[in-house]
Amino acid sequence: MRGLTVGVIGGGIGGLSAALSLLAAGFDVQVYERSRALGEVGAGVQVSPNASRILHNLGLAGELARVGVKPLALHQRRWDDGRTLLRTPLGEPLEDRFGFPHYQAHRADLLAALAAAIPPERIHLGHRLTAFDQTHDRVRLRFAAQDDAEVDVLVGADGIHSDVRGLLFGPERPRFTGCIAYRGLIPAERLEGLDIEVTAQVFMGPGQHFVNYYVSGRRLMNFVAIVEQGTWTRESWTDRGEVADALKAFDGWHPQVRGMLEAVDETFVWALFDRPPLPHWSQGRVTLLGDACHAMLPFMAQGAAQAIEDGATLAACLAAKSDDPAGALIDYERLRLPRASRMQALSSENKTRFHLHDGPDQEARDEAMAKGATDWSYDVVAWIYDHDAANPLP
């Protein structure tokens, strides 16, 4: 085992996948999670080839095949009549092109697979970080109601409300995007009459869009219904929503959209906030990862994948410069920040592209999609899916 001890704050998908990459590179890794049980908020997650490449190489191919769903295609459709705007094959054609599969999964299933691959004594629950102090060669961690700890490198993988980021750079000021999202899960048997393929669907319409795909071995349908709204103050994934409000918002939409919403028992409402890219992620021996440093809107389906990439690149950089951890973190930031910032920008741009009202701009968008000149056609997403984050160094 290499000499460095790495402390990871946060036991979500980003933190645990980083821990696995760091363990595979031979580091002594300790994960500190503030909750008393591991758990993921939200339902569906897309694991595209740039992320499945990493997870397969970490030994999770079998578990992903068990809990994930391999969709046939990404199907982008018009809101009212369901006309196809762009249908991108996934499944075997995607795997042949990019070398690794695309999965749709329940977040809790993916988190459980990651946790099961990590020795349990390396995951410390009920540890809420309150402060840290750096010296030239160590970082001391201070926890509420727990003993202090010391590590050589500290990684903040503690999400959009990151304590580590706040301690490093002070409070942030996220901007409400003008969108809210209704989300939830529907038992698949309730949808049998709707003839829904095993695809990831995006219905695009004026001022809103609707996403749905199967998870948990096709037993559940995950849906996210995004609606433009003027004001919102609270950023949470766990606020209850009203199914009647979602149905009203999607009045006149395609029968599949209406049928899914009519089959919903409960929904949660989540406000979408945007954040400008951070100029830096690191100070000395402390750095950030995932949503803690590049939270992005869900309109590229790359949030979890980019966090998984972060962990793989971080492990590679520390392995290359284990005698200079601060220098390794500079390399990590140099390699990851531009790519993550580009993904943030594209995710923001897709809010506009998905929500065009009928007219010249919408017609131009549809024409570009028909030519394969937009997101999720193979040539356009190759820079995302071909990337090997575990081998970023020349």
Side-chain angles (χ1 to χ4, degrees):
M1 181 169 285
R2 297 176 189 270
L4 291 179
T5 298
V6 183
V8 177
I9 305 298
I13 290 171
L16 293 190
S17 60
L20 266 183
S21 287
L22 290 160
L23 284 168
F27 294 105
D28 178 6
V29 183
Q30 306 295 326
V31 178
Y32 301 97
E33 164 59 40
R34 67 185 300 164
S35 300
R36 297 201 172 274
L38 294 177
E40 266 290 323
V41 178
V45 62
Q46 302 274 354
V47 183
S48 50
N50 49 312
S52 66
R53 170 197 305 272
I54 296 165
L55 298 179
H56 276 213
N57 290 334
L58 291 171
L60 295 181
E63 193 63 12
L64 284 172
R66 186 183 72 82
V67 304
V69 175
K70 289 185 178 181
L72 299 174
L74 174 67
H75 194 188
Q76 298 181 80
R77 308 175 69 180
R78 184 172 163 80
W79 66 281
D80 51 359
D81 59 11
R83 175 168 53 88
T84 295
L85 302 176
L86 176 64
R87 185 182 174 96
T88 305
L90 299 179
E92 289 184 8
L94 185 89
E95 193 167 348
D96 290 342
R97 168 62 180 82
F98 296 108
F100 292 86
H102 184 110
Y103 299 98
Q104 299 165 172
H106 194 301
R107 284 180 174 271
D109 291 339
L110 177 56
L111 187 74
L114 292 166
I118 297 173
E121 66 273 13
R122 294 185 176 275
I123 300 177
H124 309 277
L125 303 176
H127 280 63
R128 181 171 67 85
L129 185 75
T130 58
F132 63 81
D133 302 302
Q134 286 198 70
T135 65
H136 72 284
D137 62 351
R138 299 288 279 171
V139 185
R140 176 176 287 278
L141 314 181
R142 305 187 187 280
F143 300 100
Q146 298 289 349
D147 292 339
D148 294 354
E150 282 195 352
V151 296
D152 297 302
V153 175
L154 176 62
V155 180
D158 48 345
I160 57 173
H161 301 298
S162 169
D163 291 325
V164 179
R165 184 190 61 233
L167 292 168
L168 274 179
F169 301 122
E172 60 163 4
R173 291 178 175 82
R175 179 185 64 86
F176 178 51
T177 61
C179 288
I180 62 170
Y182 297 93
R183 62 175 182 83
L185 294 166
I186 309 165
E189 62 267 20
R190 296 187 183 180
L191 307 174
E192 290 176 356
L194 295 178
D195 193 28
I196 301 175
E197 286 187 297
V198 184
T199 61
Q201 295 196 122
V202 183
F203 290 87
M204 300 181 187
Q208 55 202 71
H209 73 280
F210 187 95
V211 177
N212 67 278
Y213 53 87
Y214 288 100
V215 298
S216 297
R218 304 187 193 177
R219 295 186 301 277
L220 297 169
M221 179 70 75
N222 177 70
F223 77 90
V224 184
I226 293 89
V227 178
E228 292 184 4
Q229 179 168 306
T231 60
W232 199 272
T233 57
R234 174 178 161 84
E235 185 174 22
S236 171
W237 281 58
T238 57
D239 289 338
R240 296 269 178 182
E242 294 293 334
V243 176
D245 291 341
L247 276 165
K248 182 178 179 182
F250 286 86
D251 185 36
W253 280 55
H254 189 269
Q256 283 189 356
V257 173
R258 297 285 301 171
M260 281 182 269
L261 290 174
E262 288 167 357
V264 172
D265 281 333
E266 67 173 4
T267 184
F268 297 88
V269 65
W270 149 47
L272 301 182
F273 282 75
D274 205 2
R275 292 158 170 80
L278 291 175
H280 297 287
W281 296 356
S282 309
Q283 282 186 5
R285 290 171 173 251
V286 181
T287 195
L288 302 172
L289 178 150
D291 282 352
C293 53
H294 54 67
M296 57 190 68
L297 297 175
F299 304 151
M300 285 291 293
Q302 278 291 308
Q306 292 304 301
I308 293 167
E309 283 190 14
D310 287 346
T313 297
L314 175 63
C317 290
L318 285 171
K321 283 187 178 178
S322 58
D323 58 342
D324 179 16
L329 297 189
I330 291 172
D331 290 342
Y332 160 69
E333 180 179 304
R334 173 179 57 81
L335 290 165
R336 290 298 305 159
L337 195 154
R339 178 173 168 86
S341 298
R342 181 180 179 187
M343 204 73 70
Q344 284 178 291
L346 289 173
S347 298
S348 296
E349 290 169 10
N350 268 351
K351 172 191 173 245
T352 300
R353 188 169 73 87
F354 287 178
H355 291 185
L356 293 175
H357 289 253
D358 288 351
D361 289 343
Q362 164 262 323
E363 292 170 1
R365 177 202 67 191
D366 293 356
E367 183 178 353
M369 293 178 76
K371 293 178 179 178
T374 62
D375 291 334
W376 289 294
S377 56
Y378 283 4
D379 289 344
V380 174
V381 298
W383 72 276
I384 303 173
Y385 291 175
D386 273 331
H387 186 67
D388 184 358
N391 294 285
L393 300 169

